Amino acid sequence: MILRLQAVIVFLFIFCLSSAFGQQKVGLVLSGGGATGFAHIGVLKALEENNIKIDYITGTSAGSFIGGLYSAGYSATEIEQIVMSEDFQLMVKGKMKQKDQFYFYEKWDDASLLRIRFKKDSIKFTTLPTNYTGSALLDYEMLETFGLMAVHANCNFDSLFIPFRCVASDIYTKQPVVFSEGNLNQAIRASMTFPFYIKPIRVNGVLLFDGGLYNNFPVDVMIQDFHPDIIIGSNVSYNEPPPHEDDLLSQLKNMLISHTDFSLQGNKGILINPQTDIKTFEFHRVREAIDSGYSYTLARMDSIKQLLNQDNYEVDIESRRNAKKEIVAHKPINSVMITGLRKGQAKYVQKKLLNVNKRENIDFDKFRARYFRLMADRQIRQLYPTMVELDTGYQIRVDVKKEKDFMVEVGGHIATRPISMGYLSFAYQNLSSFSFRVGVNGYFGKFYNSIKADITFGMPTRWPLDITPYFILNRWDYINSYFTFFTDPEPSFLIQQELIYGGKIETAASNQSKVGIEVQGSGIESNYYQADFTQLDTADVSRFSNFSLAGKFDFNTLNRKQFASAGHQLTVEGRWVIGHEEWYAGSTAFADTSLRKNHSWFLARVHYEGFLVQKGFYRLGLHAEGVWSTQSFFSNYTATILNTPSYEPIPDMKTFFLDNYRSYQYAAVGLINIFTIKDIVDFRLEAYYYQPIRKLVANEFNQASYNGLFVNRYYVASVSVIYNSPIGPLRLTGTYMDGKEPSPWNVQVSYGFVLFNKKAIQ
């Protein structure tokens, strides 16, 4: 009996030992391939559905991203949901989620088209962009996606849910770099940094790029690091064909990219080659890529199973995955480390992210909001976050690249009417324990000339707080030649000049809104004729010296600073004005005496523009505006109209002097219909209804008066075809402005933005 029992024990021991040593280990190798690489998700789905256990994963570029997700504990279905989401499409396009966008630092009020930044010691090649698309959202989402699991694994890739390796490229040594430890999000981000598409990052001081440059199918890494019994390779890439003497792109690709061996190098296994015509950056075809990988793998499933022992079948993968996720502790963020900046600069950034002095503890949602507010700061060029675990919580380490100190912007507006103008600005900024920026801009042209200087002090507060003193000189020259650039202009019938000085304090009310208080002084001089005139006549001169106090709330999610096709804007403002008018009669005046008069009034304005319907290629927008002012009449009708609020729903109306669209009180509404082609070419149909509460009219002596309640109303319509190029809009516009003399019609071709420096009291 004892001998039999001993024999059974020995048999069981030998059986278990042979089973343990006889179990086959399977390695999965995933190639790069851009959007085509998402076929790997379909491969994983098919393997999971057939209970095929993966023991090791190596990947490059897109393969490192998919493989890293699977190694971190995400199921194939979860990975599919991630890449099919709208958020993912925003990431690959370099855009931001609306909730993460921060309006406070956006520049919406100038005609700039092209921006160049440089350092004081160099304006050479460092000014050239190194990436086509932004990576701010991608970099942060990868921290949240990979960070917790990697930290729990003590930054050892062998301790992940599935042991993992990924490959990047060091273009200085021309060698591949294999990651087996460190920050998982950083390693994968380096591996998928396609040259000139995504900005590269440094890891341990080395600038790294896409692993596909030197090893696009890391079978060798799988063999050297894991020694699997069987290799399943999923390859969606290929080697570049030989260069052609007339094809520069093919020459560059062959210079940059080494040829890769896409075989299994004689090892036991099976190669999966999903067939698809998806190109590298066609991320909108992710579904097709997944389906191609899934169907191709199912077709090879019998061959895969023949290679595997029954012991390899994974029957408890979900329970293991859930157990792994539950171990991860969700501690607060209680520490921030800043690298890449000097001490004072780092202190400014720390205050924006976390109150270190008070040992603040926050969750990831709060940190995310602060992170993207900092990312929008005019002083910041790039952030890259990683994470480590401390005893009491998590420490976020942020590598910060400061924006270059100097900036030059050029732009303007070119039109077939004589309103063309150029725009040039120069700015210098500096970051220490607070933010400092000084800027000067100028407009120059026949119709409009201006110069503006301002200084902005940014306080190191949790919510941005800017204090900005400014100085502006404006000159408007309205001429009778409305129709063509080539027509000889007649003498100017109105010249208006403004000297403006003041200061404002602004802070963010939310990610999409800001509030501000402004104190301003200005002097306005207008030269005009009150009747028909000749070159021998002298103009009337009106001067209005004033002081004003204003408050403003602005909510803005519009997608463009002009000719928007998505989003909403709501502006509410109030202004109190007190001033002194002086009038000196010219030869066309109805009186020959001068006049001095004091004025004071309050003005309130509400403006809304929003796109309520966005279906396919169609957009429907609503426009509404209302103004109420207690303003009194000036010395004559023309002087009154010159200092009256104007309604200008279409940008080109700003270039006309339209007295019918100026009133102390009015309400207006409009509809904007847009038919768009890929949000690049817009066909716009706009119609507006303008109702002055009491229209300002001139009596026989050219004195201002009212003509009754709701007596007159006016209509504006516009038809435009707009090409929204990366450097500004090119458009053909036809406009009908009811009551405009000598004709209500205007047709023009133009390029650029119709935007000006702020006016004095309007």
Side-chain angles (χ1 to χ4, degrees):
M1 184 67 180
I2 294 176
L3 291 175
R4 288 182 179 179
L5 182 59
Q6 290 176 336
V8 170
I9 293 173
V10 171
F11 173 79
L12 291 175
F13 176 77
I14 294 174
F15 176 80
C16 293
L17 191 65
S18 63
S19 296
F21 284 96
Q23 183 178 6
Q24 293 176 309
K25 297 293 184 179
V26 178
L28 178 65
V29 181
L30 305 176
S31 75
T36 315
F38 293 99
H40 301 322
I41 301 172
V43 174
L44 288 169
K45 282 183 65 179
L47 295 175
E48 261 194 15
E49 289 177 3
N50 286 271
N51 296 318
I52 305 299
K53 179 186 177 184
I54 302 300
D55 297 289
Y56 316 108
I57 297 178
T58 61
T60 292
S61 194
S64 73
F65 179 67
I66 304 303
L69 287 168
Y70 202 69
S71 295
Y74 293 88
S75 69
T77 300
E78 289 172 329
I79 298 172
E80 181 180 28
Q81 292 171 348
I82 290 172
V83 303
M84 289 300 298
S85 67
E86 292 183 9
D87 292 346
F88 180 79
Q89 289 299 318
L90 289 174
M91 283 192 294
V92 297
K93 293 176 182 176
K95 297 182 179 180
M96 300 280 289
K97 295 180 183 179
Q98 182 170 305
K99 71 173 184 178
D100 295 327
Q101 294 175 0
F102 200 57
Y103 167 61
F104 185 79
Y105 294 112
E106 291 286 345
K107 290 189 63 180
W108 290 85
D109 56 355
D110 62 51
S112 60
L113 296 167
L114 180 64
R115 179 179 300 169
I116 302 172
R117 295 184 182 274
F118 57 93
K119 298 179 180 179
K120 61 183 177 181
D121 57 346
S122 175
I123 59 171
K124 299 179 182 179
F125 297 107
T126 54
T127 62
L128 297 176
T130 59
N131 56 294
Y132 173 77
T133 185
S135 62
L137 180 60
L138 172 68
D139 292 342
Y140 189 84
E141 289 286 359
M142 290 185 68
L143 173 74
E144 289 197 345
T145 301
F146 295 108
L148 291 174
M149 294 299 291
V151 165
H152 176 71
N154 294 318
C155 296
N156 182 348
F157 295 179
D158 287 339
S159 300
L160 294 170
F161 181 69
I162 297 173
F164 174 69
R165 299 287 185 273
C166 68
V167 182
S169 296
D170 180 352
I171 62 172
Y172 181 73
T173 63
K174 304 295 189 296
Q175 294 294 323
V177 176
V178 179
F179 285 97
S180 61
E181 61 182 6
N183 296 108
L184 183 61
N185 64 307
Q186 192 176 42
I188 294 172
R189 168 66 166 81
S191 178
M192 56 191 288
T193 303
F194 195 91
F196 311 120
Y197 188 76
I198 304 176
K199 185 179 289 291
I201 62 171
R202 290 186 182 274
V203 182
N204 299 324
V206 179
L207 192 68
L208 297 178
F209 286 84
D210 195 293
L213 295 178
Y214 304 137
N215 189 348
N216 207 19
F217 193 54
V219 174
D220 57 335
V221 177
M222 175 64 71
I223 296 169
Q224 293 168 13
D225 284 27
F226 297 125
H227 311 290
D229 300 298
I230 293 172
I231 296 176
I232 299 175
S234 177
N235 174 44
V236 293
S237 194
Y238 57 88
N239 286 314
E240 289 293 328
H244 191 277
E245 61 270 18
D246 296 323
D247 188 343
L248 177 61
L249 187 60
S250 72
Q251 296 170 23
L252 289 173
K253 287 181 177 179
N254 275 270
M255 283 190 283
L256 289 171
I257 303 173
S258 300
H259 280 220
T260 296
D261 181 359
F262 290 108
S263 72
L264 297 183
Q265 303 178 12
N267 291 273
K268 185 179 180 181
I270 190 166
L271 191 61
I272 299 171
N273 292 290
Q275 303 300 307
T276 176
D277 62 350
I278 299 172
K279 294 181 174 59
T280 302
F281 302 113
E282 292 184 330
F283 293 103
H284 61 282
R285 300 178 65 185
V286 167
R287 167 53 62 197
E288 295 178 50
I290 295 173
D291 292 343
S292 68
Y294 180 75
S295 59
Y296 194 91
T297 306
L298 285 182
R300 306 295 303 275
M301 191 55 63
D302 289 342
S303 299
I304 295 172
K305 289 182 176 180
Q306 288 178 5
L307 289 171
L308 306 176
N309 292 331
Q310 187 70 24
D311 295 338
N312 178 265
Y313 282 21
E314 178 68 86
V315 294
D316 63 343
I317 186 170
E318 283 303 320
S319 60
R320 289 199 309 112
R321 182 177 285 123
N322 292 334
K324 188 80 171 178
K325 290 180 181 179
E326 289 175 1
I327 295 175
V328 178
H330 293 281
K331 298 178 181 179
I333 297 171
N334 58 15
S335 178
V336 173
M337 177 185 290
I338 305 299
T339 60
L341 297 177
R342 298 193 301 268
K343 184 177 180 180
Q345 297 171 339
K347 188 176 181 180
Y348 173 90
V349 171
Q350 280 184 322
K351 287 183 178 180
K352 294 283 187 178
L353 293 175
L354 194 70
N355 195 330
V356 179
N357 295 333
K358 293 184 178 180
R359 300 184 181 278
E360 184 182 17
N361 294 325
I362 61 173
D363 58 25
F364 278 89
D365 288 339
K366 287 184 178 179
F367 183 82
R368 179 193 185 97
R370 297 178 185 180
Y371 178 90
F372 282 108
R373 287 201 295 268
L374 175 64
M375 184 71 244
D377 194 303
R378 63 179 69 90
Q379 297 278 5
I380 303 300
R381 178 158 52 97
Q382 185 182 13
L383 302 177
Y384 192 83
T386 54
M387 181 169 58
V388 298
E389 187 174 15
L390 306 177
D391 292 337
T392 58
Y394 296 113
Q395 181 184 75
I396 304 295
R397 299 179 176 179
V398 184
D399 184 59
V400 183
K401 298 291 187 296
K402 182 187 174 297
E403 189 53 89
K404 296 174 182 178
D405 294 337
F406 294 91
M407 180 181 71
V408 172
E409 293 179 314
V410 295
H413 181 245
I414 301 173
T416 51
R417 288 177 50 228
I419 56 169
S420 298
M421 60 185 176
Y423 173 83
L424 179 66
S425 77
F426 176 83
Y428 167 76
Q429 62 182 23
N430 186 43
L431 179 63
S432 56
S433 57
F434 67 94
S435 172
F436 169 84
R437 179 186 182 277
V438 57
V440 178
N441 75 39
Y443 289 82
F444 45 92
K446 188 176 188 179
F447 163 68
Y448 176 66
N449 290 272
S450 178
I451 186 168
K452 174 184 177 182
D454 60 16
I455 303 174
T456 299
F457 301 93
M459 300 297 105
T461 50
R462 183 78 65 244
W463 281 98
L465 178 66
D466 280 0
I467 301 173
T468 307
Y470 58 83
F471 173 85
I472 303 171
L473 285 174
N474 287 326
R475 186 179 190 275
W476 310 81
D477 190 347
Y478 295 91
I479 61 177
N480 280 325
S481 179
Y482 283 164
F483 300 105
T484 170
F485 185 80
F486 302 102
T487 302
D488 292 332
E490 298 179 11
S492 298
F493 66 85
L494 169 61
I495 295 176
Q496 191 170 48
Q497 301 179 88
E498 299 177 324
L499 183 152
I500 309 168
Y501 53 92
K504 58 184 178 180
I505 300 175
E506 293 181 311
T507 188
S510 69
N511 275 17
Q512 290 80 36
S513 62
K514 62 182 179 180
V515 294
I517 298 175
E518 179 181 58
V519 178
Q520 177 182 284
S522 66
I524 306 170
E525 180 177 300
S526 304
N527 295 262
Y528 55 89
Y529 300 92
Q530 295 193 47
D532 294 335
F533 62 94
T534 68
Q535 293 186 355
L536 299 177
D537 284 311
T538 58
D540 286 31
V541 177
S542 287
R543 297 190 180 99
F544 182 52
S545 302
N546 63 87
F547 170 86
S548 66
L549 177 65
K552 183 177 181 180
F553 168 84
D554 195 10
F555 172 89
N556 196 333
T557 61
L558 294 178
N559 62 334
R560 303 186 188 107
K561 63 181 177 182
Q562 207 160 56
F563 312 114
S565 61
H568 303 267
Q569 182 182 35
L570 173 65
T571 302
V572 180
E573 59 182 317
R575 181 179 294 272
W576 175 69
V577 181
I578 182 170
H580 177 73
E581 175 196 7
E582 296 180 357
W583 168 66
Y584 302 93
S587 61
T588 61
F590 288 82
D592 59 0
T593 59
S594 61
L595 182 146
R596 290 174 174 82
K597 187 177 181 180
N598 293 325
H599 296 270
S600 66
W601 69 84
F602 178 78
L603 180 145
R605 176 176 174 266
V606 178
H607 170 88
Y608 172 78
E609 180 180 337
F611 292 86
L612 309 177
V613 177
Q614 300 183 54
K615 290 188 176 181
F617 61 86
Y618 178 67
R619 310 283 187 269
L620 175 62
L622 174 66
H623 166 99
E625 184 170 297
V627 167
W628 187 272
S629 174
T630 63
Q631 190 169 341
S632 57
F633 298 143
F634 276 57
S635 57
N636 57 66
Y637 171 77
T638 307
T640 300
I641 287 293
L642 281 169
N643 294 283
T644 297
S646 57
Y647 178 60
E648 300 161 338
I650 294 173
D652 296 323
M653 294 179 71
K654 300 176 186 294
T655 65
F656 294 98
F657 182 67
L658 303 170
D659 53 358
N660 288 326
Y661 294 89
R662 292 174 177 246
S663 178
Y664 289 163
Q665 302 96 24
Y666 66 80
V669 65
L671 290 177
I672 306 169
N673 296 273
I674 301 176
F675 301 88
T676 185
I677 302 175
K678 295 184 178 180
D679 286 328
I680 298 175
V681 177
D682 292 344
F683 180 64
R684 295 174 67 102
L685 299 171
E686 304 173 64
Y688 302 92
Y689 170 83
Y690 168 72
Q691 176 64 70
I693 308 303
R694 292 185 296 176
K695 186 178 185 303
L696 291 167
V697 295
N699 63 19
E700 58 181 326
F701 301 107
N702 202 40
Q703 297 298 307
S705 62
Y706 294 122
N707 70 339
L709 291 172
F710 305 106
V711 173
N712 299 91
R713 61 202 53 85
Y714 297 91
Y715 304 92
V716 178
S718 176
V719 179
S720 302
V721 179
I722 303 175
Y723 168 55
N724 296 290
S725 78
I727 53 173
L730 174 65
R731 63 191 174 100
L732 168 64
T733 301
T735 306
Y736 174 83
M737 290 168 278
D738 190 15
K740 183 178 79 69
E741 297 293 342
S743 170
W745 298 99
N746 177 68
V747 178
Q748 71 179 53
V749 177
S750 63
Y751 168 70
F753 297 106
V754 188
L755 292 168
F756 312 102
N757 285 329
K758 77 182 298 295
K759 299 192 74 173
I761 57 175
Q762 297 184 18

